[in-house]
Structures are given as structure tokens and as C-alpha cells.
Amino acid sequence: MRPSQLRRQTGLTLLEVMVALLIFAVTGSAILKAAGDHLSGVVLIQDITFATWVANNRLTELQLSKSWPPKNNEKGSEEMADRTWYWSQRVEKTMDDELLVVEVTVSDNEQRSNSVTSVTSYLAKRSQQ
């Protein structure tokens, strides 16, 4: 046998290189999708957090208000985190005349077509002092 026939080939074949590239491409695509899903989830959590703060602020305003009962279907807006949030409140009676259910729904558009969150609380009539 000749010495050139005894040497083993030490490089990668074209098929092996293509399989390795396929594995890297599939892995890279999965990582990019996971990162994108994570970022959209973070933005959603941020929006829900700010919208909940807006709703809680409105409920606190109602608790501190001296007028009773609060208006049903009242709407307004509030600036928070360099954005305008639009809230609307729904007031319902309970069996107790001095206790109401108030639901504040917060949206990120003026038409209030896309609700980000909704917070429901009970509101008691303040005693006159």
C-alpha cells in the first residue's frame, strides 16, 4: 500500500457541516422565539401593573370623596408612566343601602375598546362627622 492510502482523512464532510448548520439554525430560531415571547410578556405585565395602579387610584379617590353615592358610568383619564390611561367606573347597589360595589375598568385607548384590567371593590358610605 502506498503511504497516501494509509493516511486517514481528518476533515468534516459536506453532509456533516450541513447537519451542524441545521442544528444551529433550529436552536437559534428557538432562542429568538423564546426571547420575543419573554419580552412581550414583560410588556403585558407592565401594562397590567400600571393599569391596576390607575384603577386603585380611582377607588381611593372615591373612598376619600364626600359625595354619596358615586356616579355610575363615570369616565376619566389619568397620566401614568408617560402614558394616558382611560378608566370607567360601574357602580352597583348591594343589599345594604350604605354599601356599593364599584368596578373600575382601565383601557389604553380613549374608545375603551381594549380593557387592560378591571378592579372591583366595595365602597361604604362615610359617616358624617
Side-chain angles (χ1 to χ4, degrees):
M1 291 191 152
R2 288 189 269 166
S4 63
Q5 289 178 338
L6 293 176
R7 287 166 69 202
R8 300 186 88 199
Q9 191 175 22
T10 57
L12 296 174
T13 65
L14 180 60
L15 181 61
E16 291 170 332
V17 170
M18 291 183 74
V19 168
L21 286 174
L22 176 68
I23 291 170
F24 285 129
V26 169
T27 303
S29 298
I31 290 171
L32 284 175
K33 182 177 179 343
D37 290 347
H38 174 72
L39 287 177
S40 66
V42 167
V43 170
L44 181 62
I45 290 170
Q46 175 183 310
D47 286 351
I48 291 172
T49 300
F50 288 135
T52 302
W53 289 349
V54 169
N56 287 335
N57 286 348
R58 180 61 192 155
L59 289 169
T60 301
E61 288 173 3
L62 290 173
Q63 289 174 346
L64 295 175
S65 174
K66 296 186 188 290
S67 66
W68 181 264
K71 295 178 185 173
N72 190 21
N73 295 323
E74 190 170 353
K75 296 177 181 176
S77 63
E78 182 175 331
E79 293 287 327
M80 182 173 289
D82 294 328
R83 290 176 62 186
T84 303
W85 299 92
Y86 301 93
W87 56 263
S88 58
Q89 70 187 30
R90 186 171 52 93
V91 180
E92 294 181 11
K93 293 182 179 183
T94 63
M95 296 175 92
D96 185 348
D97 289 337
E98 296 190 359
L99 188 66
L100 298 173
V101 175
V102 180
E103 178 185 23
V104 178
T105 304
V106 181
S107 179
D108 57 358
N109 60 50
E110 197 168 0
Q111 293 76 29
R112 293 169 176 81
S113 59
N114 184 20
S115 171
V116 176
T117 193
S118 179
V119 177
T120 303
S121 182
Y122 288 93
L123 184 63
K125 183 176 183 179
R126 292 175 53 160
S127 60
Q128 302 297 327
Q129 293 180 1

